[in-house]
Amino acid sequence: MSLTFNSGKSVGRFRKKLIAQTVATSLAAAAFTSLAAEQSEPEEDISDVIVVTAQKRVQNVMKVPVTVDSVSADTIEESGSILLQDIDKFIPGFDFSEGTMTQAGVTIRGISSPNISVGSDPSSATFFDDVYMPRAAQNVLFSDMQRIEVLKGPQGTLFGKNAAMGVVNMIPNAPQEDFEGFVKGTFGTDNLVRIEGMINFELLEDVYFRANFLTNEQDGFVDNVARPEWNEGTKIWELGAENHDAARASVKWQVSEGTDVTFSYDWDNLEQAPPMAIGLSEYAWENPNDGVPGNIDPFADKAENDVRHGVEGRDMTAYTLKINHDFDQYWSMKFVTSYREWETVNRQDEDGTANITRYLDTSNNEDSSIFYNELQINYVGDKLSYVGGVTYSKEDVWQESEINVTTDTVARLVTGDLNAQVKQVVGGEVLSGLQQAGLIDMAMGDVDTAAAIYACTLQGLDASNCIGQVSFADVVDQAYADSGLEMDHLWNADEWSNVLSAFGMDASPEFVAATGDLTYDLAAQMFGSPLIFGPSFSGMFWSENFVNTGDFTSYGIYSDFDYQFTDKWNAFFGLRYTRDDKEFTWEITETQFTEERPGVTNILFPAVPQFGAEESWNELTGRIGTGYQINDDHMVFASYATGYKAGGYDSLNISSATQPFEPEEVKNLEIGYKGVLAESLRTTLAFYHTILDGRQRSVESKPPGQNQALPTVVNEDLVLNGVEVTLEWEIIDGMTFGAVTDYRETDQESEAFYNAVGELIEAMTISGESSVNYTLTYDWMMDIGLGDTRLHIDYVFAENTRVFEVGQPAFVEDIPNYYDDRQDLNARISWASENENWELAIWGKNLLDNRYVEGSLGGRTAGVLGTPYVTINRGLEAGVEVKYGF
């Protein structure tokens, strides 16, 4: 969830507000608890229906003394969810970015980590079928999923690798004995076609087979009207178009009553539109109906993204072997080994225009793999439970970060440099004129005073009216503007002719136009700069790419004990030792344009031959806590846990070779309550105090000497105080109402860094509070006598905090809906036949048809080329669903 930051030390006010809310909520919970404790046992305990494996054991979610949320298969289906970004609304303190499939990331309690750099890791770990999922592999389709668990707070003891802020645990259905299957089709707005199927049967005696697939395709919702020559014969995607397929096949062999072996194969293929860039500049697509140059309406249904061969793609496969064995009634083991590999491409427009002289695209290409292994030993006794094990993983990564511009854009950048040189010449002439007029002597050598006297003299004013109001730079700026020598682009014959004349080369505009590259080549020789080249090179591409490789090895050993002192009171304690070894290399390739124009060199980043670095980090993390079961319906718990995320390297910052960023270290104190109030209201409250040292945050940075802003990792320290609330009220049999929300305060100490336009942002301490956000749900299983009829509704509210952002350009006030709060209403009504073979449904998303600007106004070219852009959401969606089960 987003944070609104306020400079200064206003922490006290926020803490008082948090303490007041915490006390009020705690008193209310205590009152409800006392009331419920006096009542008789309910006939049906709604807390019995959800199980989790948050502690590497199968447990009732309402009996687990840690903060864990679970999203069931029913919720996934009723909400039409197929990705993590679809279900984050049901979990307080959890967010999954919607930007891209291959560079998405988990945010837990306001903390996320950069995912663009293969040299770093996320702060929250993602697991699928007991296997750790790195960066670009995290975002997978939900197909035949049993449930999703999200654990908040450090989970390093049991889950280990990079679980400093929490864990997302995706649990697919396993093969089983009974024959079952289904085929489902979902059809809707923008030609949505989603086909899903599953089949499960006994292949041989004691050998079970389960397979599923999901294919999801939907047209875009913004027409891309750009048709550059370089995309002839290449698919031009509508913005927002989706095309994603996935399949899974598993075989389970029940070797004996206490032993089973499962082998799974996962396949994932993504080929869809690249992330959108709707330009909001005078150079972007112009709406012919508003008569305004450029575009300031991001919802006009048209945009120009001229990215060459733009696409987001991923080809991923995985093989997993799991062995479970019970030694006796007390001891058991589980062994997991998995190999996953993927190739990705994410080539996207970075300027939001079809202006060839302002073209820039980037592409993050990756070819990586991970070999993950875990051996786990379990003991379950009358009083003592134990989980211990060892983990080993090895990642091999290769990443190429492309930065591509046209030669027309390069010529524009060169134009800026020439303008600066011409301006220096004009400045020299102004200085010489002031000296010859004796004004500098009159001003006793002060050039600003001399310039002020000169400016007043021209206007017939007394010098006192200008001194202190006009500077030498102001006079130079005016003289330069009056000279007519400033060029928009050096390939403009009239402008180029004027500049040549200023440098003593007599060339008329007609001569410049008629002789092609001749005058440019002559100027290149005069200035000794091959970067001055003529218009015959137009339409070519200039690339400067970062290439990184990595070899990462991680080891872990852990033990966790849970002791039941009485029927109501238990305590747990665990430790893990983790070691991470990283070898990493950098290379910046030389632009291929050197083959076309000998002598040119990189203009964005100097070429660097491959070189490497290596480092190791290790940490001992642990947890200790207790839970007290007041009665069958109510429990309270408390825990203290530490977490760790390995240090690493910034793939786009070669200085991190000698200064790798430090690990993230987390300390978390948490207290909570879980219970069923008045026999029908399932309640979870969690209060936490988190200290995060060395948070690795990605910022767009343009330090001195660097011509282009790039994502750069900076470290900062944070203190978090927050509360999370989950409520589920069973109003009557078959009808439930739910609500989730969270509130958080943050104190943040950041280090100094250069922002995207090269300004030094000093180290500072800022404080803030999370925006207002909540999700309301309503589910009703209607009894109309003809099968089962279900209604699901969810409403999501998120406060817009852009109004608190400083330094925004004035025109954002004219961007429609830019300051709107987010309000999404979604619904689905379904009917299933009495034998449950057939199910029909009608569904709608964003029923209010609200349109939003996603994220903030941005773009790597906003400062250099004047081309900011935004992304937007899809409007109202509706459709039908047909399912046949067998």
Side-chain angles (χ1 to χ4, degrees), residues 185-189 192 840-843 878-882:
T186 304
F187 311 94
T189 310
L192 170 67
L840 305 176
I842 300 173
W843 57 270
V880 298
E881 187 174 286
V882 181

Side-chain angles (χ1 to χ4, degrees), residues 161 203 217 274 502 709 758 856 879:
K161 189 173 176 63
L203 186 63
E217 186 171 357
S856 298

Side-chain angles (χ1 to χ4, degrees), residues 297-308:
D297 181 7
F299 308 107
D301 297 328
K302 293 184 186 296
E304 290 181 306
N305 280 191
D306 59 353
V307 55
R308 180 179 54 158

Side-chain angles (χ1 to χ4, degrees), residues 582-804:
K582 291 190 176 184
E583 298 178 8
F584 203 67
T585 70
W586 295 260
E587 178 185 4
I588 303 178
T589 63
E590 188 172 52
T591 173
Q592 78 281 13
F593 192 67
T594 57
E595 300 174 3
E596 303 291 335
R597 182 77 167 176
V600 301
T601 58
N602 289 8
I603 61 171
L604 301 176
F605 309 97
V608 176
Q610 187 181 84
F611 72 101
E614 59 182 277
E615 186 61 88
S616 297
W617 297 270
N618 61 83
E619 190 69 33
L620 185 67
T621 56
R623 68 173 192 154
I624 186 171
T626 185
Y628 184 76
Q629 199 75 41
I630 300 171
N631 59 25
D632 285 344
D633 289 338
H634 308 281
M635 76 167 296
V636 291
F637 62 91
S639 67
Y640 176 77
T642 61
Y644 155 83
K645 185 183 91 167
Y649 298 101
D650 193 335
S651 59
L652 301 180
N653 186 348
I654 60 176
S655 66
S656 67
T658 56
Q659 295 178 325
F661 42 80
E662 294 299 314
E664 290 184 358
E665 297 181 355
V666 179
K667 303 178 183 68
N668 184 72
L669 178 63
E670 194 146 344
I671 60 173
Y673 162 79
K674 297 181 181 183
V676 181
L677 306 174
E679 300 185 6
S680 61
L681 180 62
R682 181 189 290 121
T683 306
T684 302
L685 299 175
F687 306 93
Y688 60 88
H689 172 73
T690 304
I691 300 174
L692 172 56
D693 293 330
R695 178 201 180 187
Q696 301 158 10
R697 183 167 70 98
S698 180
V699 298
E700 292 288 329
S701 179
K702 182 177 177 291
Q706 182 173 298
N707 293 325
Q708 175 63 38
L710 281 178
T712 302
V713 175
V714 298
N715 286 110
E716 55 193 20
D717 298 331
L718 295 94
V719 176
L720 313 172
N721 292 287
V723 57
E724 296 165 347
V725 182
T726 301
L727 302 172
E728 184 178 342
W729 177 28
E730 189 174 31
I731 305 170
I732 59 174
D733 287 345
M735 182 183 294
T736 60
F737 170 80
V740 300
T741 188
D742 73 315
Y743 171 77
R744 182 179 59 257
E745 296 175 351
T746 303
D747 301 336
Q748 175 180 317
E749 295 183 5
S750 63
E751 64 182 16
F753 66 92
Y754 289 93
N755 65 12
V757 295
E759 298 171 342
L760 178 63
I761 306 300
E762 299 289 349
M764 67 178 70
T765 299
I766 54 179
S767 299
E769 56 185 348
S770 59
S771 60
V772 176
N773 67 90
Y774 55 84
T775 299
L776 306 177
T777 60
Y778 175 81
D779 290 274
W780 181 23
M781 182 176 287
M782 310 175 200
D783 185 4
I784 60 175
L786 297 172
D788 293 328
T789 302
R790 294 188 177 190
L791 172 66
H792 168 84
I793 301 174
D794 62 69
Y795 172 78
V796 182
F797 176 86
E799 180 186 14
N800 189 319
T801 60
R802 292 195 185 100
V803 67
F804 301 106

